[in-house]
Protein backbone atom coordinates (compact mmCIF):
# COMPACT_ATOMS: atom_id res chain seq x y z
CA UNK A 1 0.00 0.00 0.00
CA UNK A 2 1.36 3.42 -0.98
CA UNK A 3 1.32 6.24 1.53
CA UNK A 4 0.38 9.35 -0.50
CA UNK A 5 1.66 11.80 2.10
CA UNK A 6 5.06 10.07 2.11
CA UNK A 7 5.23 10.12 -1.70
CA UNK A 8 4.43 13.86 -1.79
CA UNK A 9 7.05 14.47 0.87
CA UNK A 10 9.68 12.44 -1.00
CA UNK A 11 8.86 14.23 -4.27
CA UNK A 12 9.28 17.65 -2.68
CA UNK A 13 12.63 16.59 -1.22
CA UNK A 14 13.83 15.19 -4.55
CA UNK A 15 12.88 18.39 -6.36
CA UNK A 16 14.75 20.46 -3.78
CA UNK A 17 17.85 18.27 -4.00
CA UNK A 18 17.86 18.36 -7.79
CA UNK A 19 17.34 22.11 -8.13
CA UNK A 20 19.19 23.49 -5.12
CA UNK A 21 21.48 20.65 -4.07
CA UNK A 22 24.60 21.45 -6.13
CA UNK A 23 24.41 25.11 -5.18
CA UNK A 24 24.39 24.35 -1.45
CA UNK A 25 26.86 21.45 -1.34
CA UNK A 26 29.77 23.76 -0.37
CA UNK A 27 27.87 24.71 2.81
CA UNK A 28 28.29 21.10 3.93
CA UNK A 29 32.02 21.00 3.12
CA UNK A 30 33.22 24.32 4.54
CA UNK A 31 32.77 26.25 7.73
CA UNK A 32 31.33 29.74 7.46
CA UNK A 33 34.77 31.33 7.86
CA UNK A 34 36.32 29.11 5.16
CA UNK A 35 33.42 29.67 2.76
CA UNK A 36 33.57 33.46 3.10
CA UNK A 37 37.38 33.50 2.82
CA UNK A 38 37.24 31.35 -0.31
CA UNK A 39 34.79 33.73 -1.94
CA UNK A 40 36.84 36.71 -0.75
CA UNK A 41 39.95 35.41 -2.51
CA UNK A 42 37.96 34.63 -5.63
CA UNK A 43 36.51 38.14 -5.55
CA UNK A 44 39.97 39.60 -5.10
CA UNK A 45 41.37 37.73 -8.10
CA UNK A 46 38.38 38.43 -10.33
CA UNK A 47 38.25 42.09 -9.25
CA UNK A 48 41.94 42.53 -9.92
CA UNK A 49 41.64 41.01 -13.38
CA UNK A 50 38.60 43.13 -14.27
CA UNK A 51 40.22 46.32 -12.97
CA UNK A 52 43.47 45.59 -14.83
CA UNK A 53 41.62 45.14 -18.12
CA UNK A 54 39.51 48.28 -17.69
CA UNK A 55 42.48 50.34 -16.52
CA UNK A 56 44.63 49.12 -19.40
CA UNK A 57 41.94 50.09 -21.90
CA UNK A 58 41.53 53.54 -20.34
CA UNK A 59 45.31 54.07 -20.15
CA UNK A 60 45.74 53.06 -23.81
CA UNK A 61 43.01 55.48 -24.78
CA UNK A 62 44.56 58.33 -22.78
CA UNK A 63 48.08 57.64 -24.04
CA UNK A 64 47.04 57.23 -27.68
CA UNK A 65 45.15 60.53 -27.56
CA UNK A 66 48.11 62.45 -26.12
CA UNK A 67 50.99 60.51 -27.70
CA UNK A 68 52.77 63.67 -28.88
CA UNK A 69 52.73 65.28 -25.39
CA UNK A 70 53.62 62.10 -23.46
CA UNK A 71 56.04 62.80 -20.64
CA UNK A 72 57.07 61.15 -17.39
CA UNK A 73 54.81 63.30 -15.21
CA UNK A 74 51.73 62.39 -17.27
CA UNK A 75 52.56 58.68 -17.05
CA UNK A 76 53.20 58.88 -13.29
CA UNK A 77 49.88 60.68 -12.80
CA UNK A 78 48.03 57.95 -14.71
CA UNK A 79 49.82 55.26 -12.66
CA UNK A 80 49.08 57.00 -9.33
CA UNK A 81 45.41 57.53 -10.17
CA UNK A 82 45.24 53.91 -11.29
CA UNK A 83 46.72 52.61 -8.04
CA UNK A 84 44.48 54.76 -5.87
CA UNK A 85 41.45 53.74 -7.92
CA UNK A 86 42.48 50.09 -7.64
CA UNK A 87 42.83 50.31 -3.85
CA UNK A 88 39.38 51.86 -3.45
CA UNK A 89 37.77 49.49 -5.96
CA UNK A 90 39.26 46.28 -4.57
CA UNK A 91 38.33 47.14 -0.97
CA UNK A 92 34.70 47.78 -1.93
CA UNK A 93 34.54 44.82 -4.30
CA UNK A 94 35.95 42.27 -1.84
CA UNK A 95 33.75 43.63 0.96
CA UNK A 96 30.64 43.20 -1.20
CA UNK A 97 31.69 39.72 -2.33
CA UNK A 98 32.26 38.61 1.26
CA UNK A 99 28.93 40.10 2.37
CA UNK A 100 27.07 38.25 -0.43
CA UNK A 101 28.91 35.02 0.45
CA UNK A 102 27.89 35.37 4.10
CA UNK A 103 24.26 35.92 3.10
CA UNK A 104 24.33 32.91 0.75
CA UNK A 105 25.95 30.76 3.44
CA UNK A 106 23.29 31.63 6.01
CA UNK A 107 20.50 30.95 3.52
CA UNK A 108 22.11 27.68 2.44
CA UNK A 109 22.58 26.44 5.99
CA UNK A 110 18.95 27.28 6.77
CA UNK A 111 17.76 25.35 3.71
CA UNK A 112 20.00 22.41 4.59
CA UNK A 113 18.54 22.34 8.12
CA UNK A 114 15.05 22.36 6.63
CA UNK A 115 16.02 19.44 4.38
CA UNK A 116 17.40 17.58 7.43
CA UNK A 117 14.09 18.12 9.22
CA UNK A 118 12.27 16.71 6.19
CA UNK A 119 14.53 13.64 6.25
CA UNK A 120 13.72 13.14 9.93
CA UNK A 121 10.00 13.45 9.21
CA UNK A 122 10.34 10.90 6.39
CA UNK A 123 12.24 8.55 8.71
CA UNK A 124 9.46 8.87 11.27
CA UNK A 125 6.87 8.12 8.57
CA UNK A 126 8.74 4.92 7.66
CA UNK A 127 9.05 3.90 11.31
CA UNK A 128 5.35 4.54 11.95
CA UNK A 129 4.40 2.54 8.87
CA UNK A 130 6.68 -0.32 9.89
CA UNK A 131 5.17 -0.27 13.38
CA UNK A 132 1.64 -0.38 11.97
CA UNK A 133 2.37 -3.32 9.67
CA UNK A 134 3.75 -5.50 12.47
CA UNK A 135 1.46 -8.09 14.01
CA UNK A 136 -0.49 -6.81 16.97
CA UNK A 137 1.55 -8.72 19.54
CA UNK A 138 4.90 -7.50 18.12
CA UNK A 139 4.04 -3.80 18.40
CA UNK A 140 5.62 -1.63 21.06
CA UNK A 141 2.80 -0.82 23.41
CA UNK A 142 3.40 0.87 26.71
CA UNK A 143 1.13 -0.67 29.38
Amino acid sequence: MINEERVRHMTAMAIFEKEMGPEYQPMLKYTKKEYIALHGWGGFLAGTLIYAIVFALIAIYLVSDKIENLNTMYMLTIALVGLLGYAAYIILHVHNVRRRAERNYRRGRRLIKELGAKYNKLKNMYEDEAQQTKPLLARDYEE
Side-chain angles (χ1 to χ4, degrees), residues 38-52:
L38 183 65
H39 280 281
W41 280 108
F44 174 78
L45 294 174
T48 299
L49 184 64
I50 290 168
Y51 187 84

Side-chain angles (χ1 to χ4, degrees), residues 41-137:
W41 280 108
F44 174 78
L45 294 174
T48 299
L49 184 64
I50 290 168
Y51 187 84
I53 291 170
V54 170
F55 180 72
L57 292 173
I58 291 171
I60 289 170
Y61 173 75
L62 291 174
V63 170
S64 67
D65 201 29
K66 308 242 189 242
I67 196 82
E68 62 276 349
N69 295 335
L70 191 60
N71 59 24
T72 307
M73 189 63 171
Y74 188 66
M75 289 173 48
L76 285 175
T77 303
I78 291 173
L80 181 62
V81 169
L83 286 174
L84 291 174
Y86 172 72
Y89 169 76
I90 205 67
I91 288 170
L92 290 173
H93 180 70
V94 170
H95 175 71
N96 286 334
V97 166
R98 290 174 59 92
R99 196 174 71 214
R100 270 192 314 259
E102 183 178 1
R103 195 173 342 141
N104 286 343
Y105 188 86
R106 276 184 292 171
R107 181 174 183 259
R109 290 302 287 187
R110 182 178 47 82
L111 290 173
I112 288 169
K113 284 182 182 178
E114 288 175 12
L115 184 63
K118 289 180 181 181
Y119 272 118
N120 285 338
K121 184 177 178 183
L122 183 65
K123 178 183 156 202
N124 291 338
M125 285 179 185
Y126 274 115
E127 288 173 354
D128 289 345
E129 187 175 311
Q131 187 70 15
Q132 290 173 358
T133 57
K134 285 183 181 179
L136 188 58
L137 294 176

